């Protein structure tokens, strides 16, 4: 589709370790609309980062994409040479990570780190690059930008470092920004500043964002649509409002019931945790990865991977309860656990 | 106050850390009390002194000054040996379920260690006691002889809680016990802590950066900023009617968990100033939209009876 900047089709990625094949991403498909924010939410180990690294084609050994297509503006990134991919990573797609310190060079001034990608990917002079770097720092609302160019990363607070990382990612005006847990290590106050910054920048520059997080609160604040991952598979995909108010997958509902309500009286309501622990991806359960923890699991759930059920145009759920052959249709029952 | 059963009382607690001829005022004159069987939550941005408060109470750090009263007895000046009986009354659980358990010991040894130190049960009963503790935290006898690396983060946190429960404490200081856990597992641990509280009458000091979780579990909440408690009040009241501009900003920054609620605009700008260079007067004034001249001159005191706040707007 014209309106999608990125389309992932049936992506599968595995790590071939000495213990066996770790199926980190299984048959994942989703698309990112131009100018929109797509959230990927899920618990640790569910395959969020590996999905992003696969899109960027920066997987580390022994990881390998074993199937599927990654269409960026209609072109399959899987077919690009390494050289072409380097150009795409510099110009069109960029990525920021959870820990800014690990992706910044501790002994290089912030200004030099900002100008480096500019000078590598364009034929800009050092002087103009510095000017652009100062603009970028002001764009991410770092005060005294020009002066700060001479600072080293350790002289910045955690929030400022994350801002500088975002500035670096924006250096070449990417069309797609992939942000992997950009606020996870930060205080809520800094987190809300960074979320505001990302949504301002998105508006200003019109780019698209994939935001990876384990925090439903972050999803509610900034995302337009959401992909919920569990056990290396997509469980549910929907516009953000549907995820919070019309969730149709037991795992999504379980996540929502695990967090305290923010409005009203939170005291007398008991949290409803999801029992058990996430699956081991070396030996994932044969059927639905969520089956061992699912209160609604049926026999078929433990045997066969659930199929996609389209709830509406842009809302789908992977769950046997919704299948037309299921004994007592979940949706027809009026979605008993929706809160 | 006299009709309340106060199990833990902290009065004017001070703990500074010396660095390069200066000092970090990590905890600077903190006072509060916790009623038996209830939870006091401590919130605030990182570096505000929450952990240092807890660590000073349990005497992992020696306080510079101030009183720490357990059941009315001041333990702040006691020696290591004199402290032993109070160690039994008070236990701590930590954020990192990975580094807080000794990898070389079995679960059973980890839990029985404090039984030995405090001479709590006869050697022949020890095994049964360990198993009953494991059952209390949702683990089974089969787990007793395994090693920590065989467990997930949530299970390790349960082991940490079983270890804390072993000596039948009255008070448990919980320093970010759920922060390292996945969302679905956090709720398991919170429910377990709530159940144990009502079953055993435990008192908690609960530190976390997830404000809605702290509110959920706490009766009272204290908001800390640069070593001070700046607001101390019933947790529902804090949510309905926060007074201190910092509390307002902190609450506004907390995600709403609902895309239909658009957030208000009270964005807390900038970062917490360096604890080596604490602003004069009110410590929050450099980030406060309401600061008046008096705010840079005089430090506001924590005042009020039920709803305590340290801010010149209310004095
Ligand atoms: N280098 C690697 N070697 C082996 N397994 C890996 C490697 N990197 C990731 N994995 C596995 O892939 C799965 C998905 O990981 P990841 O995408 O990082 O999860 P998330 O980002 O959702 O927390 C996990 O089970 C993880 O153990
Ligand atoms: N052992 C220590 N030595 C020196 N400074 C410390 C030590 N522990 C904490 N601090 C400092 O004391 C302040 C309060 O820290 P802490 O109590 O850990 O805050 P919080 O738990 O609220 O994040 C911080 O500035 C921190 O850097
Ligand atoms: S497919 Fe079965 S096990 Fe999986 S979520 Fe649906 S009901 Fe539960
Ligand atoms: Mg990740
Ligand atoms: Mg701490």
């Amino acid at each position: 589709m014209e309106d999608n900047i990125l389309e992932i089709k049936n992506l599968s990625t595995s790590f071939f370790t000495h213990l066996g094949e770790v199926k980190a991403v299984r048959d994942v498909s989703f698309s990112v609309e131009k100018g929109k924010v797509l959230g990927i939410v899920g618990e640790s180990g569910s395959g969020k980062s590996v999905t992003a690294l696969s899109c960027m084609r920066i997987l580390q050994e022994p990881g390998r994409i074993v199937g599927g297509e990654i269409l960026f503006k209609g072109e399959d990134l899987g077919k690009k040479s390494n050289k072409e991919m380097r150009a795409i990573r510099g110009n069109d797609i960029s990525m920021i990570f959870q820990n800014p310190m690990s992706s910044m060079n501790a002994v290089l001034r912030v200004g030099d780190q900002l100008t480096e990608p500019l000078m590598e990917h364009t034929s800009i002079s050092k002087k103009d690059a510095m000017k652009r770097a100062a603009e970028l720092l002001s764009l991410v609302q770092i005060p005294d930008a020009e002066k700060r160019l001479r600072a080293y990363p350790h002289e910045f607070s955690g929030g400022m470092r994350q801002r500088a990382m975002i500035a670096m990612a924006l250096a070449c005006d990417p069309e797609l920004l992939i942000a992997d847990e950009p606020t996870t290590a930060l205080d809520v106050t800094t987190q809300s500043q960074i979320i505001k910054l990302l949504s301002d920048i998105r508006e200003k520059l019109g780019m698209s964002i994939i935001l990876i997080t384990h925090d439903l609160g972050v999803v509610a604040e900034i995302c337009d649509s959401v992909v919920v991952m569990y056990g290396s598979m997509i469980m549910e995909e929907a516009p953000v409002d549907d995820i919070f108010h019309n969730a149709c997958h037991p795992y999504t509902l379980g996540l929502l019931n695990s967090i305290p309500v923010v409005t009203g009286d939170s005291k007398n309501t008991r949290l409803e945790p999801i029992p058990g622990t996430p699956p081991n991806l070396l030996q994932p359960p044969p059927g639905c990865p969520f089956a061992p923890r699912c209160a609604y699991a049926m026999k078929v759930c433990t045997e066969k991977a659930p199929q996609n059920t389209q709830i509406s145009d842009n809302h789908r759920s992977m769950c046997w309860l919704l299948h037309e052959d299921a004994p007592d249709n979940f949706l027809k029952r009026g979605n008993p656990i929706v809160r | 106050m006299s009709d309340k059963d106060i199990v833990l009382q902290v009065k004017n607690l001070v703990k500074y850390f010396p660095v390069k001829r200066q000092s970090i005022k990590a905890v600077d004159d903190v006072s509060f009390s916790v009623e038996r069987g209830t939870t006091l939550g401590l919130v605030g941005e990182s570096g505000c002194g929450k952990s240092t408060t807890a660590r000073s109470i349990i005497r992992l750090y020696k306080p510079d000054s101030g009183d720490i009263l357990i059941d009315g007895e001041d333990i702040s000046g006691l020696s290591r040996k004199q402290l032993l009986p109070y160690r039994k009354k008070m236990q701590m659980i930590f954020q990192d379920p990975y580094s807080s358990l000794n990898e070389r010991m079995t679960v059973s040894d980890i839990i029985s260690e404090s039984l030995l130190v405090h001479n709590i049960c006869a050697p022949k009963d020890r095994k049964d006691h360990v198993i009953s503790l494991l059952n209390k935290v949702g683990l089974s006898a089969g787990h007793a002889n395994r090693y920590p690396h065989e467990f997930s983060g949530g299970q390790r946190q349960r082991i940490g809680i079983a270890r804390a429960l072993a000596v039948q404490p009255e008070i448990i200081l919980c320093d970010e016990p759920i922060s390292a856990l996945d969302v679905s597992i956090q709720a398991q641990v919170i429910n377990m802590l709530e159940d144990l509280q009502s079953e055993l009458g435990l008192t908690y000091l609960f530190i976390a950066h997830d404000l809605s979780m702290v509110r959920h579990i706490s009766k009272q909440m204290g908001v800390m900023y640069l070593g001070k408690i700046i607001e101390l009040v019933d947790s529902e009241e804090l949510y309905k009617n926060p007074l201190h501009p910092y509390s307002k900003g902190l609450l506004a920054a907390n995600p709403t968990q609902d895309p239909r609620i658009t957030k208000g605009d009270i964005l807390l700008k900038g970062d917490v100033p360096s604890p080596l260079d604490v602003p004069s007067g009110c410590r929050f004034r450099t980030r406060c939209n309401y600061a008046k001249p008096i705010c840079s001159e005089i430090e506001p005191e924590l005042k009020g009876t039920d709803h305590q706040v340290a801010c010149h707007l209310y004095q």
Side-chain angles (χ1 to χ4, degrees):
Chain A
M1 266 213 317
E2 280 280 292
D3 302 342
N4 291 335
I5 181 126
L6 184 75
E7 287 182 24
I8 308 290
K9 291 186 178 161
N10 309 99
L11 177 71
S12 293
T13 301
S14 291
F15 289 88
F16 296 89
T17 70
H18 64 280
L19 292 172
E21 179 183 358
V22 178
K23 296 184 172 173
V25 173
R26 288 187 281 168
D27 200 19
V28 158
S29 306
F30 61 83
S31 12
V32 185
E33 254 185 88
K34 224 173 244 164
K36 296 281 159 86
V37 183
L38 171 92
I40 303 181
V41 67
E43 296 178 61
S44 56
S46 57
K48 307 182 296 294
S49 296
V50 174
T51 300
L53 298 174
S54 304
C55 294
M56 295 285 280
R57 288 211 14 222
I58 48 174
L59 282 168
Q60 303 275 329
E61 281 293 319
R64 217 164 60 222
I65 296 177
V66 292
E69 286 177 300
I70 303 155
L71 302 175
F72 179 71
K73 295 201 283 188
E75 291 185 48
D76 189 356
L77 297 186
K79 299 213 173 81
K80 301 275 178 202
S81 68
N82 288 340
K83 190 166 166 239
E84 287 170 316
M85 270 318 292
R86 259 197 306 278
I88 288 173
R89 281 195 296 267
N91 289 314
D92 304 304
I93 312 179
S94 47
M95 185 157 173
I96 51 178
F97 301 89
Q98 172 174 343
N99 183 353
M101 216 42 187
S102 70
S103 21
M104 287 176 99
N105 187 335
V107 296
L108 216 56
R109 293 178 200 272
V110 171
D112 293 327
Q113 306 197 40
L114 277 166
T115 49
E116 202 175 81
L118 283 172
M119 307 203 2
E120 191 187 320
H121 293 284
T122 58
S123 54
I124 191 171
S125 73
K126 176 89 190 169
K127 193 166 153 249
D128 287 342
M130 272 299 181
K131 221 175 113 202
R132 171 91 177 116
E135 274 169 27
L136 285 165
L137 283 192
S138 351
L139 180 69
V140 296
Q141 293 154 25
I142 291 184
D144 286 334
E146 239 153 283
K147 222 172 79 197
R148 297 289 190 167
L149 287 174
R150 285 193 298 276
Y152 289 95
H154 70 87
E155 299 172 61
F156 278 15
S157 68
M160 282 213 315
R161 263 179 239 140
Q162 195 54 283
R163 284 170 194 274
M165 272 296 299
I166 296 173
M168 280 166 71
L170 296 177
C172 295
D173 250 331
E175 291 178 64
L176 175 65
L177 176 71
I178 304 180
D180 191 356
E181 311 252 9
T183 63
T184 298
L186 306 173
D187 278 312
V188 282
T189 48
T190 319
Q191 167 172 294
S192 75
Q193 294 168 5
I194 297 291
I195 292 175
K196 174 106 184 0
L197 175 68
L198 285 175
S199 67
D200 288 353
I201 288 173
R202 186 263 303 246
E203 218 151 273
K204 206 177 212 162
L205 308 180
M207 65 184 175
S208 318
I209 300 178
I210 296 180
L211 186 101
I212 295 174
T213 176
H214 65 271
D215 186 342
L216 284 166
V218 171
V219 169
E221 305 236 301
I222 182 173
C223 296
D224 298 300
S225 60
V226 186
V227 164
V228 180
M229 283 188 80
Y230 185 81
S232 67
M233 288 166 88
I234 290 186
M235 299 286 104
E236 186 162 10
E237 180 183 9
V240 69
D241 193 73
D242 282 328
I243 287 291
F244 284 84
H245 294 283
N246 186 28
C248 290
H249 194 285
Y251 177 62
T252 313
L253 291 163
L255 278 184
L256 290 168
N257 289 332
S258 304
I259 53 177
V261 292
V262 178
T263 47
D265 188 0
S266 83
K267 264 310 142 31
N268 305 315
T269 48
R270 198 169 157 82
L271 303 177
E272 290 171 35
I274 305 173
T277 47
N280 174 352
L281 298 181
L282 265 175
Q283 284 134 358
C288 168
F290 189 54
R293 303 175 74 186
C294 179
Y296 302 88
M298 303 163 290
K299 189 156 173 286
V300 61
C301 305
T302 61
E303 292 163 355
K304 277 163 63 185
Q307 285 162 23
N308 192 31
T309 301
Q310 210 67 38
I311 313 290
S312 68
D313 269 0
N314 44 16
H315 185 175
R316 67 191 176 100
S317 173
M318 302 278 272
C319 171
W320 282 116
L321 287 169
L322 300 169
H323 197 266
E324 51 189 16
D325 295 340
D328 184 2
N329 191 294
F330 190 53
L331 276 189
K332 273 191 228 140
R333 271 187 298 173
N335 212 342
I337 38 180
V338 81
R339 52 171 197 175
Chain B
M1 287 290 255
S2 55
D3 53 335
K4 285 188 184 158
D5 181 6
I6 301 296
V7 59
L8 169 66
Q9 185 170 17
V10 174
K11 284 189 193 164
N12 309 103
L13 183 69
V14 173
K15 177 68 194 172
Y16 292 175
F17 293 107
V19 277
K20 296 189 216 151
R21 278 200 241 133
Q22 299 182 72
S23 65
I24 293 183
K25 300 177 172 177
V27 176
D28 203 3
D29 195 7
V30 158
S31 303
F32 58 79
S33 47
V34 195
E35 228 181 304
R36 190 180 304 280
T38 71
T39 301
L40 174 79
L42 278 186
V43 296
E45 286 159 290
S46 50
C48 282
K50 306 179 296 294
S51 297
T52 307
T53 302
R55 286 167 172 260
S56 305
I57 292 173
I58 202 162
R59 291 285 308 272
L60 282 173
Y61 296 147
K62 189 172 179 348
D64 294 351
S65 62
D67 300 339
I68 297 154
L69 283 73
I70 308 293
D71 287 326
E73 308 256 5
D74 185 8
I75 64 158
S76 58
L78 298 187
S79 69
R80 254 190 130 74
K81 204 166 146 221
Q82 291 168 316
L83 268 175
L84 202 57
Y86 296 97
R87 285 261 153 82
K88 219 175 103 180
K89 291 193 174 191
M90 190 159 57
Q91 289 285 310
M92 184 152 175
I93 50 182
F94 299 89
Q95 166 169 4
D96 187 353
Y98 292 90
S99 63
S100 54
L101 303 177
N102 187 336
E103 292 292 333
R104 303 216 178 134
M105 290 164 75
T106 63
V107 168
S108 167
D109 291 340
I110 289 171
I111 297 174
S112 10
E113 197 178 27
S114 48
L115 294 177
L116 280 167
V117 173
H118 293 283
N119 206 356
I120 286 187
C121 67
K124 65 174 173 47
D125 300 330
R126 208 166 282 147
K127 202 172 151 216
D128 288 343
H129 193 61
V130 166
I131 290 169
S132 83
L133 285 163
L134 284 174
N135 290 337
K136 263 204 169 59
V137 297
L139 297 171
S140 61
H143 291 122
N145 293 320
R146 299 221 216 140
Y147 290 87
H149 73 262
E150 300 175 54
F151 294 89
S152 68
Q155 287 174 320
R156 281 165 175 250
Q157 204 52 287
R158 289 168 191 269
I159 297 167
I161 295 170
R163 173 178 61 185
L165 290 175
V167 299
Q168 293 162 355
E170 294 173 23
I171 303 164
I172 301 186
L173 310 176
C174 312
D175 191 0
E176 310 248 10
I178 55 168
S179 305
L181 307 178
D182 272 315
V183 184
S184 74
I185 310 295
Q186 288 184 358
Q188 293 176 4
V189 172
I190 290 289
N191 279 4
M192 195 179 74
L193 287 172
E194 286 180 336
D195 291 344
L196 291 169
Q197 179 165 58
S198 52
E199 185 190 333
L200 307 171
L202 295 170
T203 305
Y204 297 141
L205 181 74
F206 190 92
I207 297 169
H209 58 243
D210 181 339
L211 290 177
S212 18
M213 225 28 134
V214 180
R215 171 202 184 199
H216 174 85
I217 197 170
S218 309
K219 179 165 189 278
Q220 287 231 305
M221 275 167 80
V223 183
M224 284 191 80
Y225 191 76
L226 275 177
K228 291 245 177 225
I229 289 187
I230 52 92
E231 189 158 359
L232 183 59
V233 63
D234 181 88
S235 54
E236 288 308 306
E237 177 67 12
L238 181 71
Y239 264 74
K240 273 187 218 130
N241 183 27
L243 295 181
H244 199 287
Y246 180 61
S247 310
K248 288 183 185 173
L250 202 58
L251 288 174
N254 199 34
T256 59
Q257 318 277 10
D258 184 348
R260 290 184 188 171
I261 303 173
T262 29
K263 253 177 29 178
D265 241 5
I266 324 172
L267 262 189
L268 263 183
K269 300 211 174 67
D271 301 304
V272 186
S274 159
L276 285 171
D277 193 12
V278 171
S280 65
C282 171
R283 296 166 189 223
F284 182 60
R285 70 173 163 85
T286 52
R287 295 168 81 192
C288 182
N289 292 331
Y290 307 93
K292 309 179 281 185
I294 188 180
C295 300
S296 57
E297 287 153 19
I298 298 172
E299 173 137 44
E301 279 174 56
L302 190 62
K303 279 189 184 160
T305 44
D306 285 339
H307 194 157
Q308 298 183 54
V309 59
C311 171
H312 287 299
L313 296 175
Y314 306 96
Q315 320 216 322

PDB file of all heavy atoms in Angstrom, chain B residues 282-297:
ATOM      1  N   CYS B 282      13.821  26.604  49.352  1.00  0.00           N
ATOM      2  CA  CYS B 282      13.127  25.400  48.911  1.00  0.00           C
ATOM      3  C   CYS B 282      13.942  24.731  47.816  1.00  0.00           C
ATOM      4  O   CYS B 282      14.282  25.344  46.819  1.00  0.00           O
ATOM      5  CB  CYS B 282      11.741  25.745  48.376  1.00  0.00           C
ATOM      6  SG  CYS B 282      10.961  24.345  47.577  1.00  0.00           S
ATOM      7  N   ARG B 283      14.242  23.452  48.014  1.00  0.00           N
ATOM      8  CA  ARG B 283      15.098  22.743  47.054  1.00  0.00           C
ATOM      9  C   ARG B 283      14.465  22.595  45.685  1.00  0.00           C
ATOM     10  O   ARG B 283      15.152  22.377  44.705  1.00  0.00           O
ATOM     11  CB  ARG B 283      15.371  21.324  47.578  1.00  0.00           C
ATOM     12  CG  ARG B 283      16.128  21.366  48.821  1.00  0.00           C
ATOM     13  CD  ARG B 283      16.174  20.072  49.580  1.00  0.00           C
ATOM     14  NE  ARG B 283      16.783  20.449  50.844  1.00  0.00           N
ATOM     15  CZ  ARG B 283      17.706  19.762  51.474  1.00  0.00           C
ATOM     16  NH1 ARG B 283      18.089  18.605  50.995  1.00  0.00           N
ATOM     17  NH2 ARG B 283      18.224  20.214  52.579  1.00  0.00           N
ATOM     18  N   PHE B 284      13.161  22.702  45.641  1.00  0.00           N
ATOM     19  CA  PHE B 284      12.467  22.481  44.378  1.00  0.00           C
ATOM     20  C   PHE B 284      12.359  23.765  43.554  1.00  0.00           C
ATOM     21  O   PHE B 284      11.988  23.729  42.387  1.00  0.00           O
ATOM     22  CB  PHE B 284      11.072  21.912  44.650  1.00  0.00           C
ATOM     23  CG  PHE B 284      10.291  21.614  43.405  1.00  0.00           C
ATOM     24  CD1 PHE B 284      10.768  20.697  42.472  1.00  0.00           C
ATOM     25  CD2 PHE B 284       9.097  22.260  43.138  1.00  0.00           C
ATOM     26  CE1 PHE B 284      10.066  20.430  41.312  1.00  0.00           C
ATOM     27  CE2 PHE B 284       8.390  22.001  41.976  1.00  0.00           C
ATOM     28  CZ  PHE B 284       8.876  21.079  41.057  1.00  0.00           C
ATOM     29  N   ARG B 285      12.730  24.897  44.158  1.00  0.00           N
ATOM     30  CA  ARG B 285      12.385  26.179  43.518  1.00  0.00           C
ATOM     31  C   ARG B 285      12.928  26.345  42.103  1.00  0.00           C
ATOM     32  O   ARG B 285      12.307  27.008  41.279  1.00  0.00           O
ATOM     33  CB  ARG B 285      12.846  27.351  44.394  1.00  0.00           C
ATOM     34  CG  ARG B 285      14.354  27.506  44.441  1.00  0.00           C
ATOM     35  CD  ARG B 285      14.758  28.769  45.181  1.00  0.00           C
ATOM     36  NE  ARG B 285      16.146  28.713  45.554  1.00  0.00           N
ATOM     37  CZ  ARG B 285      17.146  29.064  44.739  1.00  0.00           C
ATOM     38  NH1 ARG B 285      16.892  29.493  43.526  1.00  0.00           N
ATOM     39  NH2 ARG B 285      18.399  28.972  45.144  1.00  0.00           N
ATOM     40  N   THR B 286      14.079  25.698  41.786  1.00  0.00           N
ATOM     41  CA  THR B 286      14.654  25.875  40.445  1.00  0.00           C
ATOM     42  C   THR B 286      13.785  25.257  39.345  1.00  0.00           C
ATOM     43  O   THR B 286      13.951  25.566  38.178  1.00  0.00           O
ATOM     44  CB  THR B 286      16.062  25.246  40.351  1.00  0.00           C
ATOM     45  OG1 THR B 286      15.981  23.889  40.825  1.00  0.00           O
ATOM     46  CG2 THR B 286      17.058  26.014  41.208  1.00  0.00           C
ATOM     47  N   ARG B 287      12.865  24.361  39.729  1.00  0.00           N
ATOM     48  CA  ARG B 287      11.994  23.750  38.722  1.00  0.00           C
ATOM     49  C   ARG B 287      10.531  24.121  38.947  1.00  0.00           C
ATOM     50  O   ARG B 287       9.637  23.574  38.308  1.00  0.00           O
ATOM     51  CB  ARG B 287      12.119  22.226  38.772  1.00  0.00           C
ATOM     52  CG  ARG B 287      13.502  21.731  38.391  1.00  0.00           C
ATOM     53  CD  ARG B 287      13.659  20.268  38.726  1.00  0.00           C
ATOM     54  NE  ARG B 287      13.073  19.379  37.732  1.00  0.00           N
ATOM     55  CZ  ARG B 287      12.881  18.085  37.925  1.00  0.00           C
ATOM     56  NH1 ARG B 287      13.200  17.531  39.068  1.00  0.00           N
ATOM     57  NH2 ARG B 287      12.355  17.342  36.980  1.00  0.00           N
ATOM     58  N   CYS B 288      10.301  25.065  39.882  1.00  0.00           N
ATOM     59  CA  CYS B 288       8.924  25.336  40.290  1.00  0.00           C
ATOM     60  C   CYS B 288       8.363  26.536  39.539  1.00  0.00           C
ATOM     61  O   CYS B 288       9.008  27.569  39.432  1.00  0.00           O
ATOM     62  CB  CYS B 288       8.888  25.604  41.790  1.00  0.00           C
ATOM     63  SG  CYS B 288       7.221  25.897  42.402  1.00  0.00           S
ATOM     64  N   ASN B 289       7.141  26.382  39.032  1.00  0.00           N
ATOM     65  CA  ASN B 289       6.497  27.486  38.311  1.00  0.00           C
ATOM     66  C   ASN B 289       5.903  28.534  39.241  1.00  0.00           C
ATOM     67  O   ASN B 289       5.458  29.581  38.793  1.00  0.00           O
ATOM     68  CB  ASN B 289       5.373  26.952  37.430  1.00  0.00           C
ATOM     69  CG  ASN B 289       5.906  26.110  36.295  1.00  0.00           C
ATOM     70  OD1 ASN B 289       7.028  26.334  35.836  1.00  0.00           O
ATOM     71  ND2 ASN B 289       5.147  25.133  35.851  1.00  0.00           N
ATOM     72  N   TYR B 290       5.836  28.233  40.523  1.00  0.00           N
ATOM     73  CA  TYR B 290       5.185  29.142  41.461  1.00  0.00           C
ATOM     74  C   TYR B 290       6.167  29.831  42.393  1.00  0.00           C
ATOM     75  O   TYR B 290       5.754  30.485  43.348  1.00  0.00           O
ATOM     76  CB  TYR B 290       4.160  28.390  42.311  1.00  0.00           C
ATOM     77  CG  TYR B 290       3.163  27.617  41.497  1.00  0.00           C
ATOM     78  CD1 TYR B 290       3.373  26.278  41.182  1.00  0.00           C
ATOM     79  CD2 TYR B 290       2.001  28.242  41.023  1.00  0.00           C
ATOM     80  CE1 TYR B 290       2.471  25.569  40.419  1.00  0.00           C
ATOM     81  CE2 TYR B 290       1.090  27.541  40.259  1.00  0.00           C
ATOM     82  CZ  TYR B 290       1.324  26.203  39.962  1.00  0.00           C
ATOM     83  OH  TYR B 290       0.423  25.510  39.207  1.00  0.00           O
ATOM     84  N   ALA B 291       7.477  29.657  42.159  1.00  0.00           N
ATOM     85  CA  ALA B 291       8.465  30.149  43.129  1.00  0.00           C
ATOM     86  C   ALA B 291       8.345  31.658  43.354  1.00  0.00           C
ATOM     87  O   ALA B 291       8.198  32.437  42.419  1.00  0.00           O
ATOM     88  CB  ALA B 291       9.869  29.787  42.663  1.00  0.00           C
ATOM     89  N   LYS B 292       8.383  32.041  44.644  1.00  0.00           N
ATOM     90  CA  LYS B 292       8.334  33.449  45.040  1.00  0.00           C
ATOM     91  C   LYS B 292       9.690  33.793  45.660  1.00  0.00           C
ATOM     92  O   LYS B 292      10.492  32.893  45.922  1.00  0.00           O
ATOM     93  CB  LYS B 292       7.247  33.658  46.107  1.00  0.00           C
ATOM     94  CG  LYS B 292       5.886  33.086  45.752  1.00  0.00           C
ATOM     95  CD  LYS B 292       4.877  33.306  46.869  1.00  0.00           C
ATOM     96  CE  LYS B 292       5.058  32.293  48.000  1.00  0.00           C
ATOM     97  NZ  LYS B 292       4.001  32.412  49.033  1.00  0.00           N
ATOM     98  N   PRO B 293       9.955  35.087  45.909  1.00  0.00           N
ATOM     99  CA  PRO B 293      11.251  35.440  46.504  1.00  0.00           C
ATOM    100  C   PRO B 293      11.557  34.647  47.778  1.00  0.00           C
ATOM    101  O   PRO B 293      12.672  34.168  47.964  1.00  0.00           O
ATOM    102  CB  PRO B 293      11.105  36.933  46.810  1.00  0.00           C
ATOM    103  CG  PRO B 293      10.118  37.418  45.807  1.00  0.00           C
ATOM    104  CD  PRO B 293       9.172  36.285  45.565  1.00  0.00           C
ATOM    105  N   ILE B 294      10.544  34.473  48.623  1.00  0.00           N
ATOM    106  CA  ILE B 294      10.787  33.785  49.901  1.00  0.00           C
ATOM    107  C   ILE B 294      11.313  32.355  49.687  1.00  0.00           C
ATOM    108  O   ILE B 294      12.067  31.818  50.509  1.00  0.00           O
ATOM    109  CB  ILE B 294       9.494  33.765  50.766  1.00  0.00           C
ATOM    110  CG1 ILE B 294       9.806  33.219  52.158  1.00  0.00           C
ATOM    111  CG2 ILE B 294       8.404  32.971  50.095  1.00  0.00           C
ATOM    112  CD1 ILE B 294       8.617  33.167  53.078  1.00  0.00           C
ATOM    113  N   CYS B 295      10.964  31.751  48.541  1.00  0.00           N
ATOM    114  CA  CYS B 295      11.326  30.355  48.287  1.00  0.00           C
ATOM    115  C   CYS B 295      12.838  30.147  48.184  1.00  0.00           C
ATOM    116  O   CYS B 295      13.340  29.058  48.444  1.00  0.00           O
ATOM    117  CB  CYS B 295      10.650  29.851  47.028  1.00  0.00           C
ATOM    118  SG  CYS B 295       8.856  29.938  47.127  1.00  0.00           S
ATOM    119  N   SER B 296      13.577  31.206  47.778  1.00  0.00           N
ATOM    120  CA  SER B 296      15.026  31.028  47.698  1.00  0.00           C
ATOM    121  C   SER B 296      15.698  31.409  49.011  1.00  0.00           C
ATOM    122  O   SER B 296      16.897  31.239  49.172  1.00  0.00           O
ATOM    123  CB  SER B 296      15.590  31.854  46.550  1.00  0.00           C
ATOM    124  OG  SER B 296      15.229  33.198  46.731  1.00  0.00           O
ATOM    125  N   GLU B 297      14.912  31.956  49.954  1.00  0.00           N
ATOM    126  CA  GLU B 297      15.516  32.410  51.206  1.00  0.00           C
ATOM    127  C   GLU B 297      15.290  31.451  52.366  1.00  0.00           C
ATOM    128  O   GLU B 297      16.197  31.148  53.122  1.00  0.00           O
ATOM    129  CB  GLU B 297      14.945  33.794  51.576  1.00  0.00           C
ATOM    130  CG  GLU B 297      15.501  34.894  50.680  1.00  0.00           C
ATOM    131  CD  GLU B 297      14.536  36.072  50.568  1.00  0.00           C
ATOM    132  OE1 GLU B 297      13.642  36.212  51.435  1.00  0.00           O
ATOM    133  OE2 GLU B 297      14.672  36.830  49.593  1.00  0.00           O
TER     134      GLU B 297
END
